[in-house]
Amino acid sequence: MERLPHFVLRLGMVLMLLVGPLRAQQDALFGLDARFSQIVRIDLESGAEQARYPSPVLCKPEGACGMAYNGHAVYIVDSTDPDRRIYEVGAESGAIWHSMPSPPGSIDGLAYDDGVLYALDFLTDTIYALDPFDGSVLRELSPGVDIIGGMGVSQGRLYASRIRPSLIFEIDGESGQLLNEWPSPSTVPTGVAAQGSRLFVGDFRSGAIVEMDGQTGAVLDTFVREMGDIAALSAGRVDGVIPYHIRLERGSEELRADGLVQLEMTAGLYDAQGRLMHTNDHSLVRFVLSGDVEQTAVATASGGVARAGFALNPGITLVVRAELDGLEPVEKTIRVVSPTVRTTLEFIESAGRPGYLEVKAHLFDATDKRAVDDTSEVHFTLLGGRAMLAGPPTVVARDATASSWLYTDGRNTDITVEVRVRSVVGVATLNTGKWPSPTEMSDLTVSAERIAGRDNIPPTPVEGLRAVLLGQGKSAAKPVAFIELSWELVPEDGMRYFVPFGEQVIARDGIEGYRLMRSQNSGLYREIGVFPPGTDRFVDFVELGNNYAYQIIVADADNWRIANIEPGSAADGARRVALSVVGVDAEGNEVSGLFDGDLDVDLDDFFLFADAFGTNSADAVFDARFDLDGDGAVRLSDFFLFADNFGAVAVRR
């Protein structure tokens, strides 16, 4: 998983810890000139024009557009835009960094303040407070007056205009209550911006920008004499921190009929919290190839991800660079492979782990040689038998092999495994009663001479698996936690049915019971309990300082069935628990952030925390020690807890 470079994260966090928030040295004013569809940057000290660059919207007629500034980028909306989008463009480059759906109605005013984007609908006179990540509506404000033209915000006060008659309104940004109204110094006030106590009003007809006192409404000066057809204004403090980054990944690789490899590269756009900007359908990303071949392609993001395809010769080495103007470019060095076209499976019994089998996939290319350069993801799926996949379901191939692990109870069974590398699929069946160890299986191996008839219909998977932290205590002087596991009984629990076998009929129970499995710190799942039918809960004792994931098997005579849990889903989160170690200081207060083994929270702990920042419980590298709030992710909320404890000294753990 790629994240922001560690030195950038470390530097930013060190500055936050040691010196507090840095104050920017400059304020900025932006205007939208509808005459040329250009964004204009204006010096807030002198009123001089500093730069111009194209706008993503046209803003006609009469400037029915809105603009806001967040310290590093400008938001722009056009009420006549058929796509009904809000665009976020880099304040220096003009490149589109983000886009999101516009609220319903006709939006012609935007303002940004303290993580909230405000949007003005001039048809309903409603102001929407939006989440700038995806445009979702947080709340609606109804000041009760006719508002149209422009909007600004400063210190929790919204300023909105009316064109006929021309007025400026002061509105409470939280409640929407109308606080003041003043005559507009502009005949057609289609632009309003605020910064501190300074209020700026633009005139679409004259191109002038007039400065007012944001507290009294008094006209102070004509700040700019002629800017153009002013469709919108925005102002704010320059912070210089860009919270977006690109993650470059190798996508699919397919061998074409002409012998070339079709390689797809993807560039995802993410915010500072590591969230994919999934509403972004407009950013243009350049993919630049250098090395054995030089090519450039431009792709438009869809759902926050831009994709570009290249037809390349197998075996060449490339540097792939992803660029979006104004953001930090990223690059990868890759080798184009001759892709896997065939797989075989090998089952190896674990000498040190009773009940565990290593299932190893071997990859071969079109020349029937080992595909040692293919580093594709290999997906393992258990199709049947009294077994479960105890290791990772997806593994990156290394040296033409990839391995995962199976767990079984040793009873005679047929274990069928599917392995998939892109579109290449191989299946093998291992009969544990006939199996010499080890043996290599081909693409499809079917066992023969079964000892007895077996059904191949597994029971219904368990639903509702939940892991809940009950409390903490000590066991053998070690801190432990008590985790209650609960689940719903399957429909077959308590049933009895009859199966024909030759000339006989055999009575069978619906299920044998349940087997509970636990994974510690993303390791192999291990069995922690076997329960008879009718059991729906269990209390587990575990050590602190680890993250745990649980899985449950429902078993009948011939089959095991695990719970169907989608990674990253609510059900996935419900079966996970992350436990961090907390110390105690001399006054008995809890001390969090003891990561390096000593009893003080210092920079050594901080650098360890910085390395883990951005990970979550779905990542193989996730370490629960750094998840201080226990929500399954290491993010800003954990950093603030760490900062609160920075400098603290514990007397014991």
Side-chain angles (χ1 to χ4, degrees):
M1 180 183 65
E2 292 187 20
R3 299 184 297 277
L4 286 171
H6 287 161
F7 77 89
V8 175
L9 182 61
R10 289 181 175 181
L11 178 60
M13 289 187 173
V14 167
L15 291 174
M16 290 175 67
L17 282 171
L18 300 182
V19 302
L22 295 176
R23 290 190 174 274
Q25 301 300 312
Q26 185 183 6
D27 294 336
L29 176 66
F30 293 85
L32 188 57
D33 184 355
R35 178 179 49 186
F36 303 112
S37 294
Q38 290 180 331
I39 298 170
V40 183
R41 179 167 179 158
I42 301 166
D43 187 281
L44 254 180
E45 297 301 321
S46 65
E49 182 178 310
Q50 294 178 315
R52 280 179 177 259
Y53 43 82
S55 162
V57 296
L58 294 177
C59 278
K60 295 185 182 296
E62 281 204 350
C65 294
M67 173 184 284
Y69 177 61
N70 62 13
H72 53 269
V74 175
Y75 297 98
I76 297 180
V77 68
D78 180 356
S79 63
T80 65
D81 179 11
D83 292 335
R84 306 186 65 82
R85 307 288 290 182
I86 297 175
Y87 305 89
E88 183 180 3
V89 303
E92 301 296 333
S93 65
I96 299 176
W97 288 350
H98 189 26
S99 68
M100 68 194 81
S102 173
S106 295
I107 306 300
D108 80 331
L110 293 177
Y112 178 90
D113 184 43
D114 195 24
V116 177
L117 181 64
Y118 297 91
L120 164 62
D121 177 9
F122 69 83
L123 288 182
T124 63
D125 300 322
T126 301
I127 298 174
Y128 297 95
L130 309 176
D131 184 337
F133 171 68
D134 58 6
S136 57
V137 177
L138 304 176
R139 61 183 184 276
E140 298 181 15
L141 307 177
S142 299
V145 291
D146 180 28
I147 44 181
I148 180 172
M151 184 169 60
V153 62
S154 179
Q155 301 173 347
R157 294 290 193 266
L158 288 165
Y159 300 90
S161 64
R162 174 196 289 170
I163 294 179
R164 298 180 184 88
S166 57
L167 294 172
I168 303 297
F169 299 105
E170 182 185 16
I171 301 166
D172 186 279
E174 186 66 28
S175 67
Q177 178 184 358
L178 181 64
L179 302 176
N180 283 300
E181 65 176 58
W182 305 304
S184 170
S186 301
T187 306
V188 185
T190 52
V192 177
Q195 175 59 19
S197 62
R198 306 174 72 184
L199 181 60
F200 302 91
V201 180
D203 193 311
F204 187 83
R205 290 179 180 172
S206 69
I209 301 175
V210 178
E211 181 177 354
M212 301 175 63
D213 187 309
Q215 296 179 343
T216 66
V219 176
L220 302 178
D221 190 17
T222 300
F223 188 68
V224 175
R225 297 289 177 182
E226 172 57 50
M227 194 199 82
D229 295 342
I230 300 176
L233 291 178
S234 62
R237 174 152 292 170
V238 180
D239 62 23
V241 178
I242 300 174
Y244 302 139
H245 62 280
I246 305 170
R247 294 183 191 174
L248 179 63
E249 302 289 347
R250 181 201 299 236
S252 62
E253 284 179 280
E254 299 292 340
L255 184 64
R256 303 189 339 178
D258 58 6
L260 297 178
V261 174
Q262 187 67 31
L263 169 68
E264 181 187 69
M265 298 298 299
T266 66
L269 304 173
Y270 293 81
D271 70 359
Q273 299 180 43
R275 298 178 298 178
L276 176 67
M277 293 149 65
H278 61 91
T279 64
N280 181 9
D281 293 334
H282 292 85
S283 292
L284 297 177
V285 179
R286 287 189 303 275
F287 294 85
V288 181
L289 274 57
S290 60
D292 290 347
V293 67
E294 295 185 0
Q295 291 186 32
T296 299
V298 178
T300 302
S302 176
V305 179
R307 293 175 169 82
F310 303 91
L312 304 166
N313 289 314
I316 65 175
T317 300
L318 299 169
V319 175
V320 183
R321 182 182 177 95
E323 302 174 343
L324 176 55
D325 290 344
L327 301 186
E328 187 71 22
V330 293
E331 61 181 38
K332 278 181 175 290
T333 300
I334 64 172
R335 178 180 173 84
V336 180
V337 304
S338 182
T340 299
V341 298
R342 184 175 68 87
T343 64
T344 64
L345 286 178
E346 181 182 6
F347 296 89
I348 304 172
E349 187 175 12
S350 173
R353 296 188 180 109
Y356 287 87
L357 307 173
E358 182 182 13
V359 53
K360 183 177 292 186
H362 300 279
L363 282 54
F364 297 89
D365 63 19
T367 65
D368 214 29
K369 295 181 179 179
R370 292 171 58 83
V372 293
D373 290 328
D374 194 338
T375 56
S376 300
E377 290 185 340
V378 180
H379 304 273
F380 295 90
T381 303
L382 180 68
L383 300 183
R386 290 180 59 88
M388 75 163 284
L389 193 64
T394 301
V395 181
V396 175
R398 294 287 184 270
D399 297 324
T401 61
S403 294
S404 190
W405 290 85
L406 298 170
Y407 174 73
T408 183
D409 61 356
R411 186 183 298 186
N412 189 336
T413 186
D414 291 339
I415 302 174
T416 303
V417 177
E418 175 190 276
V419 61
R420 177 171 56 85
V421 186
R422 295 185 303 272
S423 60
V424 179
V425 178
V427 177
T429 297
L430 173 70
N431 174 230
T432 57
K434 299 287 186 179
W435 176 47
S437 175
T439 183
E440 182 171 312
M441 318 295 286
S442 64
D443 291 333
L444 179 62
T445 302
V446 180
S447 305
E449 301 180 13
R450 290 182 174 177
I451 296 175
R454 298 178 183 150
D455 76 76
N456 60 358
I457 303 175
T460 304
V462 174
E463 294 185 355
L465 177 62
R466 292 182 56 84
V468 178
L469 178 63
L470 295 180
Q472 298 182 11
K474 283 193 174 181
S475 175
K478 289 185 178 181
V480 297
F482 313 126
I483 300 175
E484 182 182 61
L485 287 306
S486 61
W487 57 90
E488 298 176 11
L489 301 179
V490 299
E492 296 91 336
D493 194 317
M495 290 177 55
R496 188 171 178 82
Y497 59 96
F498 298 90
V499 178
F501 181 62
E503 297 180 355
Q504 306 177 44
V505 176
I506 302 174
R508 307 190 58 174
D509 293 326
I511 62 169
E512 292 181 340
Y514 305 92
R515 294 172 178 261
L516 192 61
M517 311 293 291
R518 179 182 67 208
S519 169
Q520 178 175 320
N521 298 329
S522 302
L524 295 181
Y525 278 93
R526 298 184 180 278
E527 189 171 88
I528 60 172
V530 179
F531 310 100
T535 307
D536 64 357
R537 61 193 60 245
F538 173 74
V539 176
D540 191 21
F541 297 82
V542 296
E543 293 184 5
L544 298 181
N546 302 291
N547 62 292
Y548 299 94
Y550 293 87
Q551 180 58 280
I552 191 166
I553 300 168
V554 57
D556 65 16
D558 292 326
N559 301 278
W560 285 0
R561 184 78 170 266
I562 65 171
N564 295 326
I565 300 176
E566 183 71 22
S569 64
D572 188 33
R575 56 123 174 214
R576 297 180 182 273
V577 175
L579 302 171
S580 59
V581 176
V582 178
V584 179
D585 66 12
E587 288 75 37
N589 301 313
E590 292 186 349
V591 177
S592 298
L594 301 172
F595 303 138
D596 63 353
D598 59 25
L599 294 176
D600 59 335
V601 184
D602 54 16
L603 283 176
D604 292 333
D605 300 290
F606 167 72
F607 292 135
L608 292 172
F609 179 83
D611 288 336
F613 190 81
T615 60
N616 60 59
S617 58
D619 300 323
V621 297
F622 177 71
D623 189 331
R625 292 181 302 157
F626 304 102
D627 179 22
L628 298 180
D629 60 4
D631 65 353
V634 184
R635 46 187 158 196
L636 284 177
S637 57
D638 302 293
F639 170 68
F640 293 138
L641 290 174
F642 176 78
D644 289 341
N645 287 267
F646 190 77
V649 178
V651 294
R652 67 179 187 276
R653 289 174 177 264

